Amino acid sequence: MPTHVIVIAKETIQKWTHKLCNTFVTKAAESAYQCIKSEKVVVIIGPTGTGKSSYAYYAAFKLKEENDYVIVPARQPSDITQYYEPDTNQVFIIDDFIGKYAFDEADSASWEKEGPLLQKVLRNNDRIKVILTCRKSVWHPEKCERFGFSAYLFDLDTHELSLTLSESRTIFEAYVEKSRVVQLNDQMIMMYTFLPSLCSIFSSITDSDSERFFTVTVQFVEEELNNYKIKSPVRYMSLAVLAIKQKVTKWSSFDNIENEELIKTCLENLDFKCFHLKTYNKPS
């Protein structure tokens, strides 16, 4: 690999090492490791904030520790086909490999282009592992079938791999200082699947009511919405419509002035040209 790529890789691995400092080894983390040991390519999918990246890093570092693998952070499939070394144990990791907030057609095209070559490389080399992560809302299996290589799907959004109450409590206590803990009951602890992300955010806040933070997740949701606004305006607008109408069952005219003004405001925030929404009715 070129020198500048090696430097960036080392910096990235240091960040991952720091992130894993407070990581609790759940049954899902250990299952992810066992999975990548037996498979060449694993795609870890799951809802936002459930620990997909942490599980990928954990599995990679354990491969390094127990089987002398070299960890290679990557951004695109061509990194794998370009930087693989036939005589070296390597594990490549690509986070959000087809887009973070929405399915990215450019990323998809890149995987379609490199997929056949990647499959050939993997078929002829048993020393390469690839771990990919993807939000479940972004995952499109029918589109990914076009990539030209096979992968094992590791879905965190299943009963077998979701966090248990005991695991959730351990994660909570690992991130939150005892002096700041208001003992949350079991229902509060298990309220959201994105508890790992909540704990990470809370640990960086100097002054916050722990009970309110973990039950009324305004900061987490606000951050996600801001990211959608920047990275995926269409999804942001869709969420705005759902929030305003609460339940969209059909296309209808927005004859409620207050609703129309709210949607216009959303469009203006996205730098979209405003128009009279009531003129857009369901086609006959």
Side-chain angles (χ1 to χ4, degrees):
M1 289 191 294
T3 302
H4 73 281
V5 175
I6 294 174
V7 171
I8 294 173
K10 286 182 178 179
E11 292 175 352
T12 301
I13 292 171
Q14 287 179 347
K15 292 178 181 178
W16 292 352
T17 302
H18 179 72
K19 183 175 182 178
L20 288 175
C21 287
N22 287 332
T23 298
F24 170 69
V25 181
T26 64
K27 66 179 186 298
E30 190 58 36
S31 295
Y33 170 62
Q34 295 300 328
C35 185
I36 194 60
K37 279 179 62 177
S38 60
E39 303 287 341
K40 289 188 176 182
V41 184
V42 173
V43 180
I44 302 176
I45 69 171
T48 302
T50 50
K52 299 179 293 296
S53 296
S54 293
Y55 291 148
Y57 306 158
Y58 170 79
F61 277 96
K62 197 163 184 182
L63 279 174
K64 177 183 178 181
E65 178 184 341
E66 296 190 355
N67 299 282
D68 199 28
Y69 270 79
V70 175
I71 301 173
V72 186
R75 299 180 63 185
Q76 54 196 1
S78 59
D79 291 342
I80 303 172
T81 55
Q82 184 176 359
Y83 300 136
Y84 84 95
E85 299 176 6
D87 299 323
T88 304
N89 289 340
Q90 292 174 292
V91 53
F92 291 84
I93 300 179
I94 302 182
D95 269 321
D96 303 306
F97 81 110
I98 50 173
K100 185 167 185 177
Y101 298 101
F103 186 86
D104 191 304
E105 293 294 346
D107 285 341
S108 175
S110 178
W111 283 100
E112 285 191 52
K113 178 181 178 182
E114 295 288 334
L117 177 57
L118 177 58
Q119 179 71 354
K120 182 178 180 180
V121 168
L122 293 169
R123 185 170 58 246
N124 296 329
N125 195 316
D126 291 330
R127 307 185 74 171
I128 297 175
K129 304 282 188 183
V130 179
I131 307 176
L132 310 172
T133 70
C134 180
R135 292 188 177 196
K136 195 163 186 177
S137 60
V138 176
W139 175 250
H140 290 282
E142 69 285 353
K143 294 183 179 180
C144 295
E145 288 177 358
R146 306 196 301 257
F147 295 167
F149 64 91
S150 57
Y152 182 89
L153 188 64
F154 190 84
D155 188 355
L156 294 174
D157 193 23
T158 61
H159 177 71
E160 294 77 17
L161 297 176
S162 59
L163 292 175
T164 65
L165 174 59
S166 175
E167 290 173 338
S168 297
R169 278 208 171 277
T170 302
I171 292 172
F172 175 76
E173 292 170 0
Y175 276 94
V176 183
E177 295 178 8
K178 291 183 179 180
S179 60
R180 302 181 66 194
V181 171
V182 172
Q183 194 64 32
L184 302 187
N185 61 40
D186 293 350
Q187 183 179 4
M188 292 177 180
I189 287 287
M190 299 298 288
M191 188 174 293
Y192 302 109
T193 59
F194 47 85
L195 177 70
S197 284
L198 280 179
C199 290
S200 180
I201 295 171
F202 185 78
S203 66
S204 65
I205 299 174
T206 57
D207 184 23
S208 182
D209 182 318
S210 59
E211 182 174 358
R212 179 171 177 78
F213 181 88
F214 283 94
T215 53
V216 184
T217 58
V218 175
Q219 183 168 343
F220 179 85
V221 173
E222 184 177 26
E223 183 177 326
E224 280 295 296
L225 287 175
N226 287 335
N227 286 327
Y228 274 116
K229 178 181 175 181
I230 298 170
K231 302 292 185 179
S232 182
V234 173
R235 288 202 171 200
Y236 176 83
M237 195 62 220
S238 299
L239 289 170
V241 172
L242 286 171
I244 293 169
K245 300 295 288 183
Q246 292 193 3
K247 185 176 182 182
V248 179
T249 57
K250 62 180 179 179
W251 285 95
S252 59
S253 61
F254 286 84
D255 51 7
N256 182 298
I257 299 300
E258 182 180 358
N259 286 351
E260 183 174 348
E261 289 302 315
L262 284 171
I263 293 179
K264 281 185 177 180
T265 300
C266 291
L267 290 169
E268 289 169 354
N269 286 337
L270 294 171
D271 293 327
F272 287 171
K273 183 178 180 180
C274 291
F275 48 83
H276 289 288
L277 293 170
K278 65 178 67 177
T279 63
Y280 282 76
N281 296 325
K282 180 181 178 180
S284 57

